[in-house]
Amino acid sequence: MWHARNLAGEISQEYAKRQTDEEAIDDLMELVQQIVAFHMKHNAEPEAVDLLLEVKDLDLLIEHVDKTNFKRTCLYLTSLARYVPGPDDMLVLDIAYTIYQKYQEYTNALQVALFLDNLQYVRQLFETCPDLQ
């Protein structure tokens, strides 16, 4: 686990360097995919989220969550949003909303949608939720 964390730190540094130098990042993103998959399988959701934030590709998180880790992942995302500067804070919450909706956690998704002040999300939840009681 330590090696994956160390590698993730080096990748985020290399990513920043390549972005500055306007170099290709495709090979780095392949490694990011592998590291995120490893972290998500080994209960290291915060490390996966942090790495994806560093490489500005938080959307990749959605394909790596599963029914065993989505609650921990969303808890970290909603807590993290308070400390991330805008507009990334809204992106973090948007990803949490998407994950909650994917796993039919309608109450939590509604809380996030209301915090985002996104009436379209609220409407969408009421239309898709099978039990409105």
Side-chain angles (χ1 to χ4, degrees), residues 13-27:
Q13 289 174 355
E14 182 65 21
Y15 176 85
K17 179 185 175 294
R18 289 188 188 186
Q19 287 293 97
T20 302
D21 298 340
E22 297 182 12
E23 296 177 12
I25 57 167
D26 295 340
D27 57 332

Side-chain angles (χ1 to χ4, degrees), residues 58-59 61-62 65 70-71 73-79 81 88-129:
L58 195 57
D59 290 341
L61 187 63
I62 296 168
V65 293
F70 81 91
K71 288 182 182 180
T73 303
C74 287
L75 179 62
Y76 183 71
L77 289 169
T78 54
S79 299
D88 287 343
D89 59 340
M90 294 296 124
L91 171 65
V92 167
L93 289 173
D94 194 67
I95 297 296
Y97 168 83
T98 302
I99 294 170
Y100 276 138
Q101 187 183 29
K102 179 179 177 181
Y103 289 96
Q104 300 174 350
E105 288 280 328
Y106 298 114
T107 305
N108 291 325
L110 181 59
Q111 286 179 322
V112 174
L114 291 171
F115 188 82
L116 286 168
D117 197 23
N118 189 321
L119 295 179
Q120 181 181 352
Y121 282 177
V122 173
R123 190 174 305 117
Q124 184 180 37
L125 286 169
F126 278 99
E127 291 171 357
T128 60
C129 181

